[in-house]
Amino acid sequence: MAYRTPDGPGDTTGPDDAASRIAAWQRQAGRHGLPWQHTRDPYRIWLSEIMLQQTQAATVVPYYERFLGLFPSVVDLADAPQDAVLHAWAGLGYYARARNLHRCAQTVRDQHGGRFPATAAELAQLPGIGPSTAAAVAAFAYGERAPILDGNVRRVLARYFAIEGDPTAARIAQQLWGHAHALIDAAPADLDMAAYTQGQMDLGATVCTRTRPDCARCPLAPDCQARLQKRQDELPTPRARRAQPLRHCWMLIAECEGRVLLERRPDAGIWGGLWTLPQFEDTAALQAACAALSATETAQTLAAIDHVFTHFRLRIQPCWLQLSGAAPVPSRADQAWVPIETLDAHGMPAPVARLLAGLYDGGLALR
């Protein structure tokens, strides 16, 4: 059975058993040992889907297991302080996900009686849940015939249907969504949605990879347009790469009476809601902050560290200042003197946590 592509003139044919082939392949050759598989609990499924956004499964596994140990239910997560959630998340990056995770849990608790909605349309109304994540939760937890379109699936469909153009661009994404819906519409009524949904993810992660796709193992190979046209390396069309600008900042490690001065970042922006070291754009601002602390000592310059974000690199120049006498009262409400032995209890950006761990793990390394 063939169907007309939803994106323009002409026909691109796809057999009506493509979805069934993916499901059968997943049951036989897909991934089965991930800790969020083999459950219909929407909380566990939702948690894994949020963590897996822009993060590889191998990285997610220990965070996922630790999260469930700390917050075994959505109500436990909703009731937890935001600091505790951010601390458990620290290191996964893209911290807006953690804040939305907390907000979503509170919405489920307060507006849905602690139970996740049972349809993709309702799930997509919750904070931080987009249409693809909503569809994945609905498919895995409730068996809904809802298509997904995460990064791996975009790549699989772009190759299978030979779709040119940046798959993240709105026009191309719309075409891919149309194909995703059409594949499910053409599938048999008894399609195993959990296996099909997981199979698409597994194909993109382990077979239809960005480079050197293993077409010999792919259940879609016989009618994959990219393979037939020998364009696997061309599709999907790569995004135009922009040079990553290098930005600089200075961070102050002010220590006094066995405590370090931390400040909480605003919720909006990079590292939102996390505790970090006071940060400055130039040395003049750093020196002014040292003067405000009534420091008579000279700050010691430490080795710079680089941290890579999606769109730029940040070079952090840390400076360590040990104050004598009593710790001055913080000049801002978002600052606090934190005992060194409790630093690891605060949710921090990964580079700041590594910097402080290098200084204070097992005692003061600078002494």
Side-chain angles (χ1 to χ4, degrees):
M1 174 180 179
Y3 59 86
R4 183 176 295 276
T5 55
D7 52 283
D11 285 328
T12 295
T13 59
D16 59 6
D17 66 341
S20 295
R21 279 187 280 151
I22 292 174
W25 173 87
Q26 198 284 327
R27 287 190 292 267
Q28 180 180 11
R31 296 176 295 184
H32 296 278
L34 299 172
W36 46 82
Q37 294 179 305
H38 314 297
T39 179
R40 298 188 69 115
D41 181 351
Y43 170 63
R44 291 172 177 250
I45 295 165
W46 162 73
L47 178 61
S48 69
E49 290 298 320
I50 299 298
M51 287 186 166
L52 286 165
Q53 292 171 2
Q54 299 173 297
T55 309
Q56 293 184 347
T59 300
V60 166
V61 168
Y63 284 91
Y64 175 81
E65 293 176 334
R66 184 161 60 249
F67 240 79
L68 286 179
L70 294 169
F71 317 115
S73 73
V74 68
V75 174
D76 292 319
L77 178 58
D79 290 345
Q82 180 174 281
D83 271 351
V85 177
L86 289 173
H87 179 249
W89 189 275
L92 271 178
Y94 302 98
Y95 292 96
R97 292 185 295 170
R99 297 193 299 275
N100 284 331
L101 191 84
H102 197 216
R103 287 178 53 222
C104 182
Q106 292 175 330
T107 301
V108 172
R109 178 195 63 191
D110 298 340
Q111 299 181 19
H112 298 275
R115 292 180 175 273
F116 278 86
T119 68
E122 292 174 295
L123 287 163
Q125 301 304 310
L126 296 172
I129 299 186
S132 184
T133 299
V137 175
F140 286 129
Y142 308 118
E144 182 177 343
R145 290 171 70 97
I148 64 170
L149 195 67
D150 65 8
N152 283 327
V153 178
R154 289 174 193 262
R155 182 167 58 255
V156 171
L157 295 184
R159 284 176 174 156
Y160 185 56
F161 292 104
I163 302 298
E164 296 184 0
D166 178 0
T168 64
R171 181 178 64 84
I172 306 304
Q174 185 177 15
Q175 294 180 29
L176 295 173
W177 271 117
H179 286 300
H181 279 281
L183 283 173
I184 289 180
D185 291 343
D190 62 352
L191 176 68
D192 183 342
M193 278 304 301
Y196 173 58
T197 303
Q198 185 65 52
Q200 295 174 87
M201 299 175 178
D202 291 353
L203 269 181
T206 66
V207 174
C208 193
T209 48
R210 285 186 179 87
T211 60
R212 301 179 66 182
D214 190 354
C215 297
R217 294 175 51 215
C218 181
L220 300 181
D223 46 350
C224 173
Q225 294 303 302
R227 187 190 69 83
L228 294 174
Q229 299 171 24
K230 301 187 185 304
R231 301 180 64 199
Q232 300 98 312
D233 294 335
E234 299 176 24
L235 298 172
T237 305
R239 300 178 69 177
R241 289 195 174 187
R242 298 179 181 176
Q244 281 192 329
L246 176 63
R247 302 179 187 176
H248 294 79
C249 76
W250 283 255
M251 286 189 178
L252 178 62
I253 308 165
E255 181 194 332
C256 187
E257 297 181 316
R259 292 180 288 171
V260 173
L261 184 64
L262 297 182
E263 63 184 35
R264 189 196 293 275
R265 301 275 295 196
D267 281 346
I270 293 170
W271 295 334
L274 295 179
W275 288 94
T276 186
L277 296 164
Q279 181 174 324
F280 309 95
E281 296 303 314
D282 52 47
T283 55
L286 173 67
Q287 291 167 358
C290 293
L293 292 171
S294 301
T296 58
E297 302 81 358
T298 300
Q300 179 180 348
T301 302
L302 306 180
I305 57 176
D306 284 1
H307 185 71
V308 179
F309 291 94
T310 304
H311 301 298
F312 68 95
R313 291 187 299 126
L314 180 65
R315 179 156 297 162
I316 301 170
Q317 178 59 71
C319 296
W320 181 63
L321 177 67
Q322 186 175 16
L323 299 172
S324 57
V329 176
S331 59
R332 292 165 36 180
D334 60 356
Q335 291 184 333
W337 289 97
V338 177
I340 291 171
E341 61 270 17
T342 66
L343 285 173
D344 61 358
H346 290 67
M348 297 182 190
V352 175
R354 287 195 297 269
L355 173 61
L356 293 176
L359 292 177
Y360 298 123
D361 186 21
L364 300 182
L366 291 179
R367 295 183 180 171

